[in-house]
Amino acid sequence: SFYTQLWQRLAEEGVWSGEIWNKRKSGEVYPEWVTISAVRDADGTISHYVAAFRDITERKETEERIYRLAYFDPLTNLPNRRLLGDRIQHAIVSSQRSHECCALFFLDIDHFKLLNDTKGHDVGDRLLADVALRLTAALRHEDTVARLGGDEFVVMLERLSTDPALAAASAALVAEKLRAVIAEPYDL
């Protein structure tokens, strides 16, 4: 359907521009920007097409870096406050539609400032990264773990149950599981 639309636009307007994925001789797939123009002869009939291609791999990589900086914490690779806000809004809408309960946990690390002050920021950063990995590994794929900053994390559980009592019980079990996972010793 993509190429049908491309050819239809070329026939109607005589020009098409857009992004396509191409393949190098090595087999590597890469993005490129293409502009195709119809060339007409003296009586207005299309005689051939001219295409200009530009590799946009670097631009796409830059866009991805900007996106990651805007929505993800660089230390833990977890969603940041901005992306968490989007996910919370989505969860609220989804919960209203499905009548399934959600849970939101706020976590911080006890005595984190003392660790940073006595052992240094590198050790503190390693602890934060380890906590992020443990939280993520202990949850379902559809749950969200986000880092707000410092030693503050948020965990959002979706689609727990339509029964609030069952949802609360499930959330309590997950909270205890997370507490136990975080309380395990760290090799710093």
Side-chain angles (χ1 to χ4, degrees):
S1 68
F2 170 80
Y3 286 105
T4 302
Q5 292 174 6
L6 182 152
W7 285 108
Q8 182 180 355
R9 183 139 177 221
L10 271 173
E12 292 170 359
E13 300 176 23
V15 67
W16 179 88
S17 287
E19 183 180 310
I20 65 168
W21 290 89
N22 207 341
K23 191 180 284 190
R24 301 184 198 284
K25 288 181 184 179
S26 66
E28 174 192 4
V29 176
Y30 70 99
E32 67 181 9
W33 188 262
V34 180
T35 301
I36 304 172
S37 300
V39 177
R40 300 183 184 275
D41 59 21
D43 57 346
T45 305
I46 296 174
S47 61
H48 58 281
Y49 298 92
V50 174
F53 303 87
R54 187 174 75 228
D55 185 339
I56 57 171
T57 302
E58 189 174 312
R59 188 187 90 205
K60 297 294 266 181
E61 289 169 351
T62 300
E63 288 172 356
E64 176 62 21
R65 279 193 302 275
I66 291 168
Y67 173 81
R68 291 215 54 86
L69 286 171
Y71 292 104
F72 290 88
D73 173 59
L75 177 65
T76 62
N77 290 318
L78 294 176
N80 64 14
R81 184 182 304 269
R82 174 186 274 170
L83 184 53
L84 176 64
D86 290 347
R87 289 191 180 174
I88 288 173
Q89 290 302 318
H90 179 268
I92 290 169
V93 170
S94 178
S95 181
Q96 289 171 339
R97 185 173 46 247
S98 69
H99 303 289
E100 292 177 305
C101 297
C102 301
L104 197 65
F105 304 143
F106 179 83
L107 306 153
D108 70 342
I109 301 169
D110 292 342
H111 312 294
F112 180 73
K113 183 179 180 336
L114 179 62
L115 175 75
N116 250 355
D117 291 346
T118 58
K119 299 295 183 185
H121 291 282
D122 289 346
V123 172
D125 288 352
R126 285 199 346 244
L127 177 64
L128 293 171
D130 286 351
V131 168
L133 287 172
R134 289 182 187 193
L135 290 172
T136 303
L139 294 169
R140 302 172 300 178
H141 180 70
E142 63 262 22
D143 298 326
T144 297
V145 181
R147 179 169 174 234
L148 298 184
D151 67 338
E152 298 175 341
F153 294 85
V154 170
V155 173
M156 183 176 66
L157 308 176
E158 294 187 65
R159 298 191 317 250
L160 291 174
S161 175
T162 55
D163 178 351
L166 285 175
S170 295
L173 287 172
V174 172
E176 182 54 35
K177 177 182 175 183
L178 295 178
R179 191 204 58 75
V181 164
I182 292 173
E184 289 293 317
Y186 293 84
D187 183 16
L188 300 174

